[in-house]
Amino acid sequence: MPDTMAVDYTTSIPNNVGLSEDRRVLKALEKWHPGYLDWWKEMGPEGFQESLVYLRTAVGVETGGWAKFDYVKMPEYRWGILLAPQDKERLIGFGQHKGMPAWQEVPGEYRAMLRRLCVIQGDTEPASVEQQRHLGATAPSLYDMRNLFQVNVEEARHLWAMVYLLQKYFGKDGREEADGLLRRRSGDVDQPRMLGAFNETTPDWLSFFMFTYFTDRDGKMQLESLAQSGFDPLARTTRFMLTEEAHHMFVGDSGINRVIKRTCEAMIAAGIHDPYDINAVRSLGVIDLPTLQKKANLHYSLSLDLFGSEISTNAANAFTNGLKGRYREDKIDDDHQLLNDTYPVLRLVNGQVETTLEPALTALNMRLRDDYTRETAAGVKRWNKQIEKAGISYELKLPNVTFNRKIGVFSEIETSPEGLILDHKIFEERKDEWLPSQDDGAFVASLMHAEVRPGYYAGWIAPPKMGIDNKSGDFEFVQIQ
Ligand code: BYC
């Protein structure tokens, strides 16, 4: 077993990167640490900081048994720096340097581009914690509250992961960027987070589940692409982040499933078969399916924006230079250089949406977005199975990629969820049919009351099939102090 796999818990910052011998970086990180803790106290979960939360902490990077579960107070969580094991023989898998040994140091000519990728990735992590900070107070169960806090501490660890790369490999600029990551705030007018979706609010638990389903999945796709990077420390860092990320998407997927299950059960028990009889469904204290659809429309479209423009020279350069690959690049059977390849891209041609063949290199954002949509659609299919099983005639659908876009070619037009181009006036008149309205928000908010008795669940969500770490659903996942 290479040395780098054992996690050292003796330093103030747990790590498997030999920090105790790397005094310069250890010192820089120790200097950053107090500001980080101030950020966590100011912008991390509101309340519950003294509570004992049944959390998993990464203790290794091996496939089996990498985490241990125990009660922890969140501010005492051991945020560590963990990189997947190094493959000393690893070669760059794509772009113009394909076949050369992976870089262990930053190549000078790609420094700015790599730093930008690390900063953007790093910026999203604390942003999501900030967006979710109010949710503990309205958790539908202790099980859900624990999942929220697990997601939060791990997103915060992902901030550490990027800060380590910035501090270790990017000198003074890296240190300044690491400070900037603690300075920006989600939704702040003067110092907002860098990407659109991370400045939106997460007002309620349905939004939280949608966010972890749709937006964390963008995280997965982006991390998978960075895990292919020729810059080996970035590849190894993101590879391990993906191990943690899987749980976050599970929280979203299973959360939405449980909401649907409860709604369908309540409708059937009350003899309501029309999913559009919104008042009747809401009077049961559950979330009607059309409101779920609107929330999905919103979160899917916000997440599509995170893939950048359909045609992007940034993306082409990052690929050609070996910095950011395609989704699971190592599993793709082609020349991994794409010099003469094309890819079908949806574009606006004379005001109409058309598919055109574009050079595959500049279409990489589009390709990743397509991979994302395929995966996302698979979950929606599972949700629909549940509705069908209940005997209710309703189908949740992903809106067209043209709908509600702020980035890329479709930001110039407005369309219905089906992709029909509309006048601004008509869009404005009808948008409450497609996106959560103030009334929808107020209704969902009215259901958000904390349920903190072990084994109890709020009326709008079904209990999970099982707890976490083989514990049953009535385990006291958070001991509230
Ligand atoms: N909002 O050439 P383009 C996660 C900017 S989520 C605002 O198309 P590119 C997580 C862009 O920066 C994953 N601005 O962009 C999930 C550029 O600006 P400059 C996070 C945007 O570079 C849940 C200009 O527009 N990781 O981990 O091809 C919880 C031209 O754009 C946006 C990454 O994203 C936007 N949405 O693609 C916690 C990976 N989109 O440079 C965590 C790293 C574009 O001209 N990032 N712009 O001033 C990247 O790979 C790319 O930067 C992007 C953009 C995919 C984001």
Side-chain angles (χ1 to χ4, degrees):
M1 190 169 75
D3 285 343
T4 49
M5 283 176 77
V7 181
D8 178 2
Y9 270 87
T10 61
T11 42
S12 57
I13 302 157
N15 70 92
N16 70 344
V17 293
L19 264 190
S20 53
E21 277 98 60
D22 195 346
R23 305 305 298 175
R24 183 187 64 80
V25 177
L26 181 61
K27 232 172 103 193
L29 284 168
E30 282 175 348
K31 205 162 156 219
W32 185 81
H33 199 167
Y36 166 80
L37 286 175
D38 288 347
W39 167 81
W40 177 267
K41 282 182 209 137
E42 192 195 325
M43 297 310 295
E46 209 173 79
F48 306 98
Q49 298 283 348
E50 289 303 308
S51 297
L52 288 166
V53 188
Y54 193 70
L55 292 175
R56 73 176 181 192
T57 304
V59 290
V61 287
E62 299 83 2
T63 325
W66 60 272
K68 82 172 174 29
F69 287 80
D70 208 347
Y71 282 112
V72 184
K73 285 186 189 172
M74 283 186 281
E76 291 165 17
Y77 188 79
R78 301 297 308 272
W79 285 285
I81 293 159
L82 298 126
L83 270 61
Q86 183 178 3
D87 168 5
K88 292 217 164 75
E89 311 291 309
R90 182 165 177 258
L91 303 176
I92 299 171
F94 58 93
Q96 61 178 335
H97 305 291
K98 181 173 165 263
M100 286 168 56
W103 299 299
Q104 299 306 325
E105 295 294 332
V106 175
E109 65 272 41
Y110 304 144
R111 194 183 158 87
M113 209 183 288
L114 262 175
R115 192 185 60 209
R116 178 175 173 276
L117 287 174
C118 294
V119 171
I120 294 182
Q121 183 61 50
D123 193 66
T124 62
E125 314 289 0
S128 68
V129 177
E130 292 165 3
Q131 289 170 297
Q132 295 161 15
R133 65 187 303 261
H134 303 291
L135 294 175
T138 53
S141 70
L142 291 179
Y143 164 85
D144 291 290
M145 186 190 281
R146 176 254 166 233
N147 284 348
L148 166 73
F149 294 154
Q150 183 73 62
V151 169
N152 292 161
V153 292
E154 286 177 351
E155 297 299 9
R157 198 198 71 71
H158 295 176
L159 166 64
W160 274 92
M162 289 301 129
V163 164
Y164 167 70
L165 294 182
L166 289 167
Q167 305 263 26
K168 176 150 175 84
Y169 296 100
F170 296 91
K172 186 164 169 287
D173 319 349
R175 287 195 293 280
E176 278 166 13
E177 295 286 10
D179 292 341
L181 291 171
L182 294 179
R183 227 180 2 253
R184 286 185 288 278
R185 294 279 184 272
S186 174
D188 191 281
V189 185
D190 300 322
Q191 300 197 83
R193 292 292 174 184
M194 297 172 85
L195 301 180
F198 293 90
N199 288 303
E200 298 285 325
T201 57
T202 309
D204 53 60
W205 275 78
L206 184 55
S207 292
F208 171 65
F209 292 137
M210 291 287 174
F211 183 96
T212 39
Y213 183 75
F214 286 107
T215 307
D216 278 74
R217 194 170 306 275
D218 164 58
K220 172 189 165 180
M221 308 308 283
Q222 301 290 352
L223 290 173
E224 287 274 6
S225 306
L226 295 173
Q228 303 287 338
S229 182
F231 179 47
D232 205 39
L234 177 60
R236 292 170 56 209
T237 305
T238 46
R239 205 166 287 282
F240 185 66
M241 287 160 75
L242 280 162
T243 313
E244 291 164 314
E245 203 60 38
H247 176 63
H248 307 182
M249 284 174 294
F250 161 80
V251 169
D253 185 34
S254 59
I256 296 167
N257 243 316
R258 289 163 55 211
V259 176
I260 294 173
K261 183 164 189 268
R262 183 69 199 105
T263 297
C264 292
E265 281 169 1
M267 283 173 66
I268 297 300
I272 299 170
H273 291 278
D274 178 4
Y276 297 97
D277 193 349
I278 288 171
N279 289 337
V281 176
R282 287 185 176 183
S283 73
L284 305 173
V286 294
I287 301 171
D288 52 286
L289 298 175
T291 294
L292 266 150
Q293 176 69 65
K294 290 189 207 178
K295 287 265 194 187
N297 288 349
L298 175 67
H299 288 271
Y300 175 65
S301 55
L302 286 171
S303 302
L304 289 181
D305 280 344
L306 294 172
F307 290 86
S309 313
E310 288 76 4
I311 300 296
S312 165
T313 48
N314 281 344
N317 291 338
F319 182 87
T320 301
N321 298 337
L323 309 180
K324 182 180 173 192
R326 287 170 291 176
Y327 180 58
R328 302 199 171 148
E329 183 74 43
D330 49 354
K331 307 276 183 315
I332 300 174
D333 185 17
D334 66 10
D335 71 355
H336 302 279
Q337 289 185 318
L338 306 177
L339 293 175
N340 302 310
D341 297 359
T342 54
Y343 188 83
V345 175
L346 283 178
R347 301 201 74 175
L348 267 185
V349 181
N350 300 328
Q352 294 301 314
V353 180
E354 286 183 11
T355 305
T356 60
L357 280 180
E358 300 292 334
L361 277 173
T362 49
L364 283 166
N365 286 346
M366 179 81 189
R367 180 181 175 125
L368 192 61
R369 201 181 77 192
D370 287 344
D371 289 332
Y372 168 81
T373 292
R374 256 190 300 281
E375 252 204 46
T376 308
V380 177
K381 230 175 170 174
R382 284 195 298 276
W383 303 338
N384 281 328
K385 280 226 171 80
Q386 178 133 301
I387 301 174
E388 198 186 319
K389 217 168 72 192
I392 292 168
S393 171
Y394 191 85
E395 192 185 341
L396 290 163
K397 291 191 180 106
L398 289 179
N400 197 288
V401 292
T402 55
F403 176 71
N404 192 38
R405 300 297 306 283
K406 302 285 178 284
I407 299 281
V409 287
F410 305 123
S411 60
E412 293 164 27
I413 54 169
E414 277 160 327
T415 79
S416 68
E418 292 76 30
L420 193 70
I421 298 179
L422 301 171
D423 280 352
H424 176 67
K425 189 165 162 283
I426 298 186
F427 180 83
E428 284 298 314
E429 277 166 16
R430 297 197 58 187
K431 77 170 186 226
D432 282 359
E433 292 171 39
W434 303 321
L435 291 167
S437 65
Q438 269 194 352
D439 278 0
D440 298 327
F443 169 68
V444 176
S446 76
L447 299 179
M448 299 292 126
H449 298 291
E451 177 51 88
V452 295
R453 292 170 295 175
Y456 284 74
Y457 289 81
W460 55 271
I461 188 165
K465 284 205 188 89
M466 60 172 126
I468 290 289
D469 188 34
N470 290 324
K471 302 279 185 246
S472 59
D474 59 1
F475 181 74
E476 193 174 4
F477 287 102
V478 183
Q479 292 179 2
I480 296 176
Q481 313 283 331

